[in-house]
């Protein structure tokens, strides 16, 4: 029986298409090397989709997303679309696809390659061997809470809301991840001010009774932001809500020197996933063959691990990236003493390793 692994590529805006092209080459290479039965489709999301159809998440894209087992997204957004009403903004397409498939569990690892220790703006000894995971709730909280919107021209409202069930399901993802790692979970909230955080803390504390092996701590989000730059290695897994996770994951990404390195996975209960680099669309360097494709390529590794349960292949991709970095190859977002590689050249180097 031939296996069928269906992948939808959504290159999106800015540098998205350039980095997704390199990730696609990686997928094709592994597909022929191991006969993975991968079939690939492409569709529009974000600003490009709005230009084409007037909708940042067109029906055709949703149909292909229904067909797929996993989605690989480049990036969305750019200054061109800043003045659109919020329903038409490229970012809205991304938020809708997250909600449509209930991709509530967003995993954002921040791992510092030993070859990039000097790329971090933080002192070497504080970040060397850094390996932390942010588990961000992705389909609730203030991003989706009602009421929302402009009440008047100069007055607007958003609502941060979580119910017990939403907190339990993301909490479980945090505890389970901690069990597989160093068994430390830090839950981040703002329970000294927000009722929604008081509930969050109560529910997570209760859930901890099912995970006796995991050492649970709680931290207020302002302190967590500070601790992430003060002593990042105190953390193993962080679990938090949508907005706090958005902010903290940018901080943790930068600890590793470049946001161009970090992948992410957004999963639902059935294992279907949306995989994307943590970086944005970087309009300033779009179309110049300068972007770092590593985050997109490592997102393919996460896809192999979480949706397709192909741990060996995930590790093969991660080792290929590591070995290219060990040889000193760098794109322009990373500091380097040698010649800087273009997007395509970095893709070539990684492919050369995978083709071995
Ligand atoms: C992210 C991004 C998105 C978010 C934007 C583009 C909507 O910042 O994935 O972190 O805020 O979730
Ligand atoms: Mg963000």
């Amino acid at each position: 029986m031939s296996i069928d692994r269906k992948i939808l590529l959504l290159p999106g805006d800015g540098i998205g298409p350039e980095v997704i092209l390199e990730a696609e080459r990686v997928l094709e290479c592994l597909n022929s090397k191991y006969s993975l039965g991968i079939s690939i489709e492409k569709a529009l999301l974000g600003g490009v989709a709005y230009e084409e159809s007037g909708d940042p998440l067109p029906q055709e894209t949703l149909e292909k997303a229904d067909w797929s087992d996993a989605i690989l997204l480049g990036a969305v957004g750019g200054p061109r679309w800043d003045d659109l009403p919020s329903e038409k903004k490229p970012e809205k397409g991304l938020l809708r696809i997250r909600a449509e498939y209930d991709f509530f569990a967003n995993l954002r690892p921040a791992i510092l390659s030993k070859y990039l220790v000097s790329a971090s703006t933080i002192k070497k000894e504080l970040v060397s061997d850094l390996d932390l995971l942010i588990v961000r709730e992705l389909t609730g909280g203030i991003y989706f809470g009602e009421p929302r919107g402009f009440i008047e021209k100069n007055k607007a409202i958003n609502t941060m809301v979580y119910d017990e069930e939403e907190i339990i399901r993301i909490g479980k993802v945090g505890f389970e991840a901690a069990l597989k790692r160093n068994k430390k979970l830090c839950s981040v909230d703002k329970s000294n001010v927000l009722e929604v955080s008081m509930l969050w803390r109560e529910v997570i504390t209760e859930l901890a009774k099912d995970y006796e092996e995991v050492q649970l701590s709680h931290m207020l989000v302002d302190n967590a932001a500070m601790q992430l730059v003060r002593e990042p290695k105190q953390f193993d897994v962080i679990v938090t809500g949508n907005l706090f996770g958005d902010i903290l994951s940018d901080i943790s990404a930068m600890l590793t020197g470049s946001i161009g390195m970090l992948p992410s996975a957004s999963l639902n209960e059935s294992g279907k996933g949306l995989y994307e680099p943590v970086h944005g669309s970087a309009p300033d360097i779009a179309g110049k063959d300068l972007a770092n494709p590593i985050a997109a390529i490592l997102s393919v590794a996460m896809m192999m691990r979480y949706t397709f349960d192909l741990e060996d292949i995930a590790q093969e991709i991660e080792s290929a990236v590591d070995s290219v970095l060990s040889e000193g190859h760098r794109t322009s977002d990373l500091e380097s003493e040698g010649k800087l590689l273009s997007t395509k050249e970095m893709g070539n180097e990684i492919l050369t390793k995978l083709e071995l």
Side-chain angles (χ1 to χ4, degrees):
M1 201 183 82
S2 70
I3 316 157
D4 197 11
R5 297 190 164 98
K6 302 188 277 278
I7 299 174
L8 175 63
L9 304 182
L10 300 173
D13 305 319
I15 58 171
E18 296 160 70
V19 298
I20 291 302
L21 188 62
E22 299 315 305
E24 184 180 7
R25 295 205 296 151
V26 164
L27 278 168
E28 271 161 7
C29 163
L30 293 167
N31 194 27
S32 52
K33 187 169 171 186
Y34 297 111
S35 306
L36 296 177
I38 288 176
S39 31
I40 294 179
E41 282 280 344
K42 284 183 198 151
L44 300 176
L45 178 81
V48 281
Y50 169 76
E51 299 289 334
E52 190 84 2
S53 68
D55 184 352
L57 176 59
Q59 189 54 33
E60 198 192 323
T61 300
L62 277 173
E63 281 161 20
K64 288 185 178 165
D66 278 346
W67 159 88
S68 70
D69 303 309
I71 302 168
L72 181 67
L73 168 73
V76 295
R80 248 174 104 173
W81 303 291
D82 277 354
D83 295 332
L84 288 175
S86 67
E87 284 312 302
K88 300 283 181 196
K89 279 198 198 297
E91 290 80 0
K92 195 67 176 189
L94 174 58
L95 295 178
R96 275 171 50 206
I97 204 165
R98 286 175 179 170
E100 178 74 26
Y101 294 99
D102 208 12
F103 291 133
F104 72 97
N106 183 216
L107 310 182
R108 297 191 162 181
I111 300 175
L112 176 59
S113 160
K114 58 175 176 293
Y115 306 110
L116 292 181
V117 181
S118 57
S120 178
T121 49
I122 308 285
K123 280 189 207 139
K124 242 187 199 155
E125 60 273 22
L126 294 179
V127 288
S128 61
D129 299 320
L130 180 80
D131 179 351
L132 70 87
L133 174 68
I134 295 196
V135 176
R136 167 186 176 197
E137 199 291 328
L138 201 60
T139 52
I142 199 165
Y143 273 55
F144 293 94
E146 299 285 344
R148 66 178 301 154
F150 279 88
I151 300 169
E152 295 160 22
K153 195 171 172 290
N154 50 9
K155 194 170 179 181
I157 182 171
N158 288 94
T159 306
M160 191 184 281
V161 51
Y162 274 117
D163 64 28
E164 190 182 2
E165 256 171 66
E166 289 173 291
I167 303 169
I168 290 178
R169 71 174 184 172
I170 195 66
K172 282 185 178 164
V173 175
F175 279 105
E176 297 289 339
L179 271 182
K180 292 193 196 132
R181 298 169 43 104
N182 294 325
K183 305 194 171 47
K184 273 170 63 184
L185 179 66
C186 179
S187 170
V188 172
D189 62 39
K190 186 71 186 171
S191 62
N192 54 346
V193 177
L194 305 174
E195 283 76 7
V196 64
S197 282
M198 294 172 199
L199 177 70
W200 180 282
R201 196 174 276 219
E202 201 180 296
V203 173
I204 297 284
T205 305
E206 185 61 28
L207 192 59
K209 294 181 182 156
D210 299 339
Y211 296 91
E212 279 178 358
E213 274 180 73
V214 177
Q215 183 196 327
L216 172 68
S217 60
H218 299 278
M219 205 178 270
L220 298 174
V221 63
D222 47 351
N223 185 27
M226 181 179 81
Q227 295 296 338
L228 270 171
V229 286
R230 195 185 76 90
E231 200 195 333
K233 282 189 276 184
Q234 71 186 283
F235 297 105
D236 177 22
V237 180
I238 290 177
V239 64
T240 190
N242 206 341
L243 180 62
F244 301 158
D246 180 44
I247 299 165
L248 296 183
S249 62
D250 267 27
I251 301 181
S252 66
M254 203 55 217
L255 295 173
T256 70
S258 169
I259 202 166
M261 295 292 300
L262 297 184
S264 74
S266 306
L267 307 172
N268 65 18
E269 314 256 15
S270 75
K272 184 164 175 148
L274 171 71
Y275 298 84
E276 48 175 316
V278 172
H279 64 66
S281 61
D284 52 327
I285 57 163
K288 296 185 180 160
D289 201 19
L290 285 176
N292 186 347
I294 291 181
I297 291 171
L298 291 176
S299 297
V300 172
M302 289 190 93
M303 177 192 286
M304 294 298 133
R305 174 170 296 129
Y306 292 108
T307 293
F308 298 122
D309 205 15
L310 294 167
E311 178 61 30
D312 290 352
I313 295 192
Q315 286 183 20
E316 185 174 338
I317 300 172
E318 288 161 354
S319 314
V321 168
D322 217 42
S323 131
V324 164
L325 291 172
S326 77
E327 290 166 5
H329 298 296
R330 304 285 184 266
T331 40
S332 60
D333 52 318
L334 300 168
E335 91 176 0
S336 163
E337 279 149 25
K339 172 182 169 285
L340 291 170
L341 266 53
S342 69
T343 309
K344 175 121 289 159
E345 285 165 343
M346 181 56 99
N348 288 344
E349 291 296 335
I350 295 169
L351 276 172
T352 309
K353 303 285 174 205
L354 292 172
E355 277 158 2
L356 290 178

